[in-house]
Structures are given as C-alpha cells and as structure tokens.
Amino acid sequence: MNGATRGHGRWWRPRSLRTQLLLWLITLHVLAAVLTAWFSFLAYGNLVHNALDDQMRLVAESYTGSDQPKTPREMDGEAAFSRGAFIVQIWSADGTTLRASSWPALSVPLQPSIGFSDVSAGAHAQSSWRVFTAEPGPRADQPRVQVLQNEDYRRRRALRRALLEGLPIALLLPVALLILWLIVSAASRSLRAVAREVASQDERSPTELSLARVPDEIAPLVGAFNNLLSRVRSAFATQRRFVQDAAHELRTPMAAIGLQIENLRSHVPAGEATERFNQLEAGVTRAQHLIEQLLHLSRQDAPQRGAAGERVDIEVLLRESVSQLMVLADARCVDVGFEGTTAAVVFAPAAELRSVFDNLIDNALRYAPEGGVVDVRLHTFDGHAVVDVLDNGPGIPQAAMGRVFDRFFRVPGAAAGGSGLGLAIARTAAERHGLRIELRNRIDSRGLMARVHLPASMAQ
Ligand code: ADP
C-alpha cells in the first residue's frame, strides 16, 4: 500500500481508532467470557460430580439398608438420558443374576470393585455411565445393589451451568461497545469541530484554534498547530510589511519621475522622439498603477480592525466612480453610460466598495476598444439589486475564467497596462462585505459582463 494514501491498514490494526478499539474490546470480551465459562465448567463440574456421587451412595444405601426387599421403580431410557435419573440394579448375592432393574434394557454387569467406577457400555455402546457398586450385606444371601447414572447428563449439566456463568460478560459486550462507540464519537466530533475551524481559517491572517472543547489527548496537537499558525501569521505580516514598505518607497520617486516627464513634454521634438516619449510616459503610468495596486493589496491583507461600516448609497457611489474614471474614458474615446433603475444601500466602508466598482469599471474601460462602449447599470435581478458593468472588448476566454481572480494572473495576450491585481482586489473587498462578483462573456454581443450581486437584505 502506498504510504501517502489513506488505506484501511491491516485487519488487526485498522486506521480508524474506533474500529481498533472495538476490535480489541470484542476480542477481550469473548476471551473473558470463554475463560470464565471454562473455569466454571471445571469448578462446577467437580461440584456436580461430588454431589451426584453422594446422592448415588444414598440411593444405594436406601436399598441395602432396608429389611424389606425393595424393588426399584421401572422407568424408560429417556429419563436416564435427559433427566439423569438413577438406575438401580438389584443383583443376586453371587452377582451373576440381575433380579430387578429400573431400566432392564441397560446391560452393565455388577462391577467387581466396590465403590465408584466409570463404565462405557450398555444398550448404547457409546454412552458412558457412573456406577456405584454397594458393599455386599452382612448376610451371605443378601442381594447386591448397584446404582448408575448417565455420565453425559452430568457433563451437560456442568456445561449449562458454566455457560450461564459466562453469560453476563457476553451480555455486557453490547453495552460496553455502545459506551465505547459514544465516547469515540464524542472525541471524533470535537476533532471534526477543530478541522472545521482550521478549514474556515483565512489563510492570510489565521487565528488560533480554541482549546475549550478539545480532549486532553488532542490538546498538544492543537497547541502545536496554534504555534505553527502564529509563525505563519508573523511570516505573512513580514511579507505584507515588505510589500507595503517597498511600494511606499517606490511611490515618491515614481511620482517625481511622472512630474519630470510632464515637464519635459514641451521640450520633446516632434516625430519619433515624441512617440518614444509617449511610450515612456505610458510605462511610468503603468508602474504608478502597479504600485497603487500593491499598496492596496497589502492594506487589504492586513487583519481587519473593524473598518468603520456606513450606509452607502450605491447609485451615488457608482456616479462618483464613473466620473472619476472619465479621464481614462476620454483618453480612449470610450462612451461610458450609467443607468440606475433601482435604489440600493449597502452597509460597508465606502472605500472598500469603491475599490470593487473602480476595478471593474477600470477594466471595462481598458479592455473596450478605442471608441468602444461601456455601460454601468444598477437594477434588480432575481429579487435583489445587482450592478452590471458591460463593455464591448474581447471578453475572457472560457479556459481562463477560473483564474482571472488570482493575483498577478493576466490572460495571455491581454492588452498591456495591467498588473493582474485588479480583480483579486475587487473580489477580496466584495466577499468581505457580502457582495459577489460574477464574470460572464456577453451573449448578446461581444465583450464582458461583470455582475456584482449586492447583499439581498441591504437592497432597498
Ligand atoms: P489587470 O490589471 O491585468 O487588468 P485584473 O486582475 O483586473 O488585472 O484582470 C485579470 C485579467 O482578466 C486581465 O489581465 C484581463 O486579461 C482579464 N480581464 C479583466 N477584465 C476584463 C475585461 N473587461 N475584458 C476582457 N478581459 C478582462
């Protein structure tokens, strides 16, 4: 079996702790029941044996001691085998002739030795008999008495008793199994709760797992995990600080370069130099955009200290966003339209909501062709408010749809000028405040539709 895969292990050591415990418990119980039964069979067998021997002696004495010759009461073999009835034989004084017998069909001769002996014979060759041969009486003509009992009956009786002794242990087994099952279930429930807590962690700012309901045996594991989490947290914090500091440090010189370029523009001779100059300016703008996005991203990654939420009128917010991006629209001669057919209010920090819509509208404006059309629509869909941002650009290939929200992912061949961070930032901000972004290529015409579903309860 491959070491990395989870199998069932060998039958005596399954992977499941519960199965392992149950298997061992069943084995031990069965063993205990068998041992108890065996020992009590031995002990009780002896007891039964002696008690029945005494009874045989008494029965024999009751015949030898009486002055009146007693005749044993006849019975059938069934009584001898199933009820262990004593068979009394009265023999002639010389022991050669059987005068009377409770079961004449049984042909066990008078034993030569006085007292107890075991005989295997009779009408049923395989049956064995316990025999008590009484001493001859004081008078020479007194008849001889012999008492017999079926040996199998004695063994059966001892066995039945022994099984009864083992029964309570066997009966306890299901109860013990049930209790064990419940204990293990409770333990695995708390393990599952820990697993759920781990699964629901925000990987960028993991929080410590609670030890409150964790069994003592698992507490060290959770403790070690918490330790690891705190190291992961500090590693993330270091990484975030680095990105933040680097972006911050780059921001000022980049702004200075931007200003220098603007100042230089009037001195650049027309012709090829201007073309190169324009490329340089576009590069600097792109770098500035990337720095801003990086700063935004690192701020977004910082653990949220309850950024103040407010009632934000989405229509007002969208109008602000569109008018701020008008510069970009004008530069690319894109026709931007806004249409609001419903009122919507969301309770969240306005800056966070702005970053959702700014990024989507910015993308639409950048990917729409020169002279293209971008529409922003606030309307009701399926009973809740949505914001659609539509463009007539190239759309996103279906194969890349699942990855465009990843950080730094850009569709191969996409227009230059992006950082691959816009959608990642938009999605994180959206999810944080109960909004959902859906991207779909338009079927009515060319282009992309980015739909933002607003939280239903907030829509008005
Ligand atoms: P970028 O800064 O590159 O635009 P984003 O995270 O905003 O980064 O977008 C990721 C990728 O998704 C882009 O590189 C682009 O290929 C694609 N994309 C995003 N918006 C659109 C759009 N409106 N039309 C076509 N492609 C888009």
Side-chain angles (χ1 to χ4, degrees), residues 289 293 363-364 366-367 391 394-396 404 406 409-411 414 417-424 448:
H289 180 69
Q293 293 285 59
N363 276 354
R366 282 188 297 114
Y367 294 105
D391 63 55
I396 297 176
V404 286
D406 293 352
F409 177 80
R410 304 205 66 224
V411 174
S419 61
L421 291 174
L423 286 178
L448 187 79

Side-chain angles (χ1 to χ4, degrees), residues 109-119 130-136 144-147:
L110 186 71
Q111 298 302 301
S113 57
I114 305 295
F116 287 99
S117 54
D118 295 307
V119 180
R130 184 73 174 158
V131 183
F132 178 71
T133 316
E135 277 179 50
R144 300 284 309 274
V145 176
Q146 184 166 265
V147 180

Side-chain angles (χ1 to χ4, degrees), residues 102-185:
S102 354
W103 187 33
L106 181 69
S107 60
V108 173
L110 186 71
Q111 298 302 301
S113 57
I114 305 295
F116 287 99
S117 54
D118 295 307
V119 180
S120 166
H124 303 259
Q126 305 90 344
S127 60
S128 47
W129 300 87
R130 184 73 174 158
V131 183
F132 178 71
T133 316
E135 277 179 50
R139 292 197 316 273
D141 63 334
Q142 252 182 306
R144 300 284 309 274
V145 176
Q146 184 166 265
V147 180
L148 300 97
Q149 189 179 31
N150 183 251
E151 193 75 82
D152 293 335
Y153 164 78
R154 291 177 164 220
R155 235 178 272 131
R156 271 203 314 277
R157 200 165 145 179
L159 190 68
R160 204 176 317 131
R161 178 71 196 199
L163 287 180
L164 278 177
E165 296 280 319
L167 197 63
I169 296 180
L171 285 182
L172 210 64
L173 179 64
V175 180
L177 288 183
L178 183 73
I179 292 173
L180 187 90
W181 186 273
L182 292 178
I183 292 174
V184 177
S185 294

